[in-house]
Amino acid sequence: MSLKDVKMNFLVDIATDLFICRSIQDVTIKDIAVSAQVGEATIYRYFGKKQAIVVYAAMKLQKEVNTLYFKLSEGRTGFEKLKIFYLSYLQIFIHHPEFYKFINEFDSFISSEDPTSSDVIDPYESVVGQYEKVYMKAYEEGIKDGSVKEQRDISTFYFATTHALLELCKKLSIKAAVLNQDKVIEKQSQVECMIDIVLSTLNN
């Protein structure tokens, strides 16, 4: 790892902590520079603009979550691996709800910015794309070992179920109860219920 990489990683660590403790929108380049005890020019020299360091922070968190929760080798069948995959969303919701809060802010921040250049967003998309590869491998194993029901369009099934689960976790991790029903239905139970529905569709 080069000296530049070490410095960039240090700045990304500082920025990530600030984004989580406060919010992406509220944290400025100056805030990051002050916390890192460097000049603002240093931040701009390494990242060019705030958008870039936000994307690096998102990549850092995605990689950490992937390492902690999305290792599926312990599953003995394809279905068991898919079960671990979906239950990972629940584990993150229980132990690291700040991740979903960050992703919610990240989506809003990126969509509100000027169109993102591919050299900024492509590395992040590549990191996120690893989830699909792991999922598809487990699904194919499940078809072969007979533990998984074949889906008409597995790509659509993957994106529909993971997006729905992600959006639910994002909403429940940041939203206070507004309606009476929000106070009655326990948040974790809602995530568990959605996972059960998805798994019942996959289980052969």
Side-chain angles (χ1 to χ4, degrees):
M1 183 179 293
S2 68
L3 181 59
K4 178 182 177 181
D5 291 333
V6 172
K7 290 181 177 179
M8 288 182 69
N9 288 340
F10 169 72
L11 294 172
V12 170
D13 288 344
I14 295 291
T16 303
D17 289 343
L18 288 174
F19 294 148
I20 289 175
C21 290
R22 293 164 59 180
S23 74
I24 293 174
Q25 198 64 46
D26 289 345
V27 174
T28 65
I29 291 295
K30 182 178 180 180
D31 294 330
I32 299 171
V34 170
S35 293
Q37 297 184 330
V38 299
E40 291 181 55
T42 300
I43 309 291
Y44 285 111
R45 182 168 70 251
Y46 284 122
F47 299 98
K49 52 186 175 180
K50 179 180 175 180
Q51 188 184 59
I53 199 167
V54 170
V55 170
Y56 272 90
M59 291 170 59
K60 165 186 163 63
L61 290 175
Q62 290 284 3
K63 289 176 180 177
E64 289 178 356
V65 162
N66 185 46
T67 299
L68 286 171
Y69 295 104
F70 288 92
K71 299 302 182 185
L72 310 185
S73 58
E74 60 196 88
R76 289 174 295 176
T77 67
F79 175 76
E80 288 171 335
K81 292 181 180 181
L82 291 176
K83 183 176 181 179
I84 294 168
F85 181 92
Y86 283 108
L87 286 175
S88 294
Y89 286 84
L90 176 63
Q91 293 302 311
I92 296 166
F93 182 78
I94 294 171
H95 300 293
H96 298 286
E98 70 278 2
F99 171 77
Y100 292 121
K101 175 179 175 292
F102 174 89
I103 293 299
N104 185 67
E105 294 175 0
F106 174 79
D107 290 346
S108 298
F109 176 78
I110 292 298
S111 62
S112 67
E113 292 290 295
D114 292 331
T116 310
S117 57
S118 61
D119 61 328
V120 173
I121 203 66
D122 281 357
Y124 173 74
E125 190 168 2
S126 177
V127 170
V128 174
Q130 296 301 313
Y131 293 96
E132 183 182 6
K133 293 179 181 178
V134 169
Y135 183 97
M136 293 304 176
K137 182 178 179 182
Y139 172 79
E140 291 170 1
E141 291 177 3
I143 294 299
K144 289 180 180 178
D145 64 33
S147 63
V148 171
K149 291 179 185 175
E150 187 168 359
Q151 302 301 308
R152 181 176 60 182
D153 184 344
I154 187 57
S155 291
T156 299
F157 185 87
Y158 165 78
F159 283 110
T161 56
T162 56
H163 286 171
L165 192 51
L166 178 60
E167 290 303 315
L168 177 63
C169 290
K170 283 163 56 177
K171 176 182 178 181
L172 295 179
S173 66
I174 64 172
K175 184 180 178 182
V178 176
L179 305 176
N180 287 330
Q181 65 186 26
D182 294 332
K183 301 173 185 177
V184 172
I185 306 301
E186 202 268 330
K187 291 182 176 181
Q188 182 176 326
S189 296
Q190 294 181 58
V191 179
E192 292 172 342
C193 179
M194 178 170 282
I195 292 172
D196 286 344
I197 292 170
V198 174
L199 292 177
S200 67
T201 304
L202 286 167
N203 191 6
N204 199 26

